[in-house]
Amino acid sequence: MTDTRDFDIVVFGATGFTGKLICEYLHQSYGDEPEFRWAMAGRNSAKLEQVRDELGVDSSVPLLVADSDDQGSLDKLAGSTRVLLSAAGPYQQYGSNMVDACARLGTDYVDLNGEPLWMKDMIAANDEKARASGARIVFSCGFDSLPSDLGVHLLQQVANAKFGAPLPRVKCRVKAMQGTASGGTVASFKGTMASIKADPALFADLINPFVLTDGFTGPEQPPGNEMIFEEDLNNWSGPFIMASINTKNVHRSNQLLGHAYGSDLVYDEMILLGESKPDAAGGDMALDMTLKPGEGPSKEEREAGFYDMLYVGSNENGDSVTVQVYGDRDPGYGSTSKMIAEAAICLAQTPKGHGGCFTAAPVMGEPLRKRLQDHAGVSFTVL
């Protein structure tokens, strides 16, 4: 991986709840590889040292201090590494200056954001700069939205090989899931709601499935905001909390891939509730609004968690493809920390193409899917 920069990957936000999990995974999975150069970064050197000691990370792993409000420190941090992994959210509060630094300095970037209003602003502000510098700014490399982004990508690859064309109707249906959210997710949700309260016009962007596909609007999409009975699945389906961000990222990937899924793609995400009509939607990922940043599920809860998602594509001829995506840890944290770490490594190993603001599938696609299967406990199965 080596080149003229000091590090292959720097984890910014290493002392946060998810940042610690990412560092623990990198240490346990890759810490013994002499050619893998990584560092932990955050605002407070004493906290960084404490986390490094708690995790048993070797003292040879550098600790770097940078502050999201200090552009000079962010520039120095971004300039030291090939890939900057940012776990410092909410991103609308702490992430903008870091994206700017990476876009200007040609540093590849991955994050965990599920904040579409912020993403829209970042694309507008940084896509041109990133194209000029060669930086690949890759958003949403956790549970939002890698399973959906890579699941739909695989489904359409299979459809093209099998039928000679993509499938225009794709449904994501969450078959089963067990997991909880952390304080960081709650803070991101509250931040988005606060932005809309301050500027109600932003609500139109939040509910627009094509808000991240600048200049393109596809066909009308299902709202997914109430329970429905689906004859083809013989099942009741209800709203899924991650649909708002995942659907937008899938449509952006489609645009960035030259509409490889078709310009007529209709895509939605819901959670399966059973053959009998339930009293209320259930089985979704819990969102405890009292949690604060730095809080989240215990190790036992993370290891007991999982997710099982189906992606079903079809056309009017009756052709269909189904892809199952299964993760072996709780979606938001146990699985997410492994997924973003592997995304950062994959990006570091992927030869530079043109820069810009991306989703994962157009940049890493199949290589990342293979890494997640081989290392991160995420399986992609064509049924």
Side-chain angles (χ1 to χ4, degrees):
M1 290 192 199
T2 58
D3 69 2
T4 57
R5 298 204 179 189
D6 294 336
F7 306 108
D8 297 306
I9 295 170
V10 167
V11 180
F12 181 58
T15 61
F17 188 87
T18 307
K20 290 179 187 177
L21 296 178
I22 294 165
C23 291
E24 181 178 45
Y25 177 78
L26 288 173
H27 164 61
Q28 292 178 350
S29 300
Y30 301 100
D32 294 333
E33 296 187 13
E35 292 189 4
F36 177 59
R37 308 164 303 158
W38 70 292
M40 300 166 60
R43 289 180 296 176
N44 187 301
S45 59
K47 286 185 178 179
L48 284 167
E49 191 166 348
Q50 180 184 349
V51 169
R52 186 174 65 180
D53 291 345
E54 284 177 5
L55 298 178
V57 175
D58 194 276
S59 59
S60 63
V61 173
L63 306 177
L64 310 176
V65 176
D67 192 295
S68 57
D69 292 326
D70 181 350
Q71 191 66 57
S73 70
L74 296 181
D75 285 1
K76 184 177 179 182
L77 189 68
S80 71
T81 186
R82 300 175 62 231
V83 178
L84 193 292
L85 186 166
S86 178
Y91 293 90
Q92 59 197 296
Q93 186 174 353
Y94 300 116
S96 301
N97 291 337
M98 179 57 81
V99 173
D100 172 69
C102 290
R104 283 187 289 104
L105 297 171
T107 302
D108 292 338
Y109 167 97
V110 293
D111 71 17
L112 295 167
N113 102 80
E115 303 167 36
L117 302 182
W118 178 76
M119 283 176 64
K120 180 189 177 187
D121 290 343
M122 291 300 97
I123 293 165
N126 295 289
D127 190 59
E128 191 173 326
K129 283 183 284 188
R131 286 174 179 270
S133 72
R136 296 171 295 184
I137 309 297
V138 188
F139 298 115
S140 304
C141 288
F143 182 63
D144 43 349
S145 298
L146 289 187
S148 294
D149 194 20
L150 299 178
V152 174
H153 185 249
L154 173 60
L155 183 151
Q156 298 292 19
Q157 282 185 322
V158 173
N160 275 297
K162 195 171 182 180
F163 309 119
L167 295 171
R169 178 67 175 108
V170 180
K171 298 180 178 184
C172 165
R173 295 297 180 261
V174 181
K175 189 176 176 183
M177 178 183 296
Q178 182 170 318
T180 57
S182 85
T185 296
V186 172
S188 292
F189 177 80
K190 288 180 176 178
T192 297
M193 293 302 103
S195 296
I196 292 172
K197 186 176 181 180
D199 183 0
L202 293 175
F203 182 70
D205 282 344
L206 188 65
I207 63 172
N208 175 11
F210 298 101
V211 71
L212 301 181
T213 58
D214 185 38
F216 173 80
T217 300
E220 185 175 352
Q221 305 290 306
N225 58 356
E226 57 186 32
M227 286 191 295
I228 59 173
F229 184 77
E230 301 189 89
E231 299 278 356
D232 56 329
L233 301 175
N234 191 34
N235 223 289
W236 283 90
S237 298
F240 175 45
I241 194 171
M242 309 306 297
S244 176
I245 180 62
N246 290 343
T247 53
K248 294 173 176 61
N249 278 326
V250 166
H251 285 300
R252 179 159 178 80
S253 284
N254 187 26
Q255 182 188 44
L256 292 170
L257 289 164
H259 289 109
Y261 310 160
S263 58
D264 57 347
L265 177 69
V266 175
Y267 177 71
D268 69 335
E269 299 193 349
M270 302 187 80
I271 188 164
L272 296 178
L273 303 174
E275 295 180 14
S276 302
K277 185 176 182 178
D279 294 330
D284 209 341
M285 193 163 58
L287 194 61
D288 181 352
M289 299 304 289
T290 65
L291 286 172
K292 297 177 175 59
E295 299 177 344
S298 67
K299 184 175 187 291
E300 291 73 23
E301 289 171 327
R302 294 194 303 272
E303 292 181 352
F306 68 94
Y307 51 93
D308 189 352
M309 305 172 75
L310 297 176
Y311 297 84
V312 184
S314 61
N315 63 18
E316 291 182 350
N317 298 329
D319 300 324
S320 67
V321 173
T322 300
V323 169
Q324 178 190 39
V325 180
Y326 183 89
D328 69 350
R329 293 288 186 273
D330 85 292
Y333 298 88
S335 186
T336 277
S337 57
K338 295 192 289 184
M339 285 194 285
I340 191 171
E342 291 298 338
I345 292 170
C346 188
L347 194 58
Q349 294 180 343
T350 302
K352 284 274 195 180
H354 69 82
C357 293
F358 295 102
T359 42
V363 182
M364 295 178 275
E366 199 167 336
L368 178 55
R369 194 167 68 236
K370 186 175 189 308
R371 287 202 73 89
L372 297 186
Q373 292 207 137
D374 291 348
H375 305 288
V378 183
S379 62
F380 297 81
T381 307
V382 180
L383 300 180

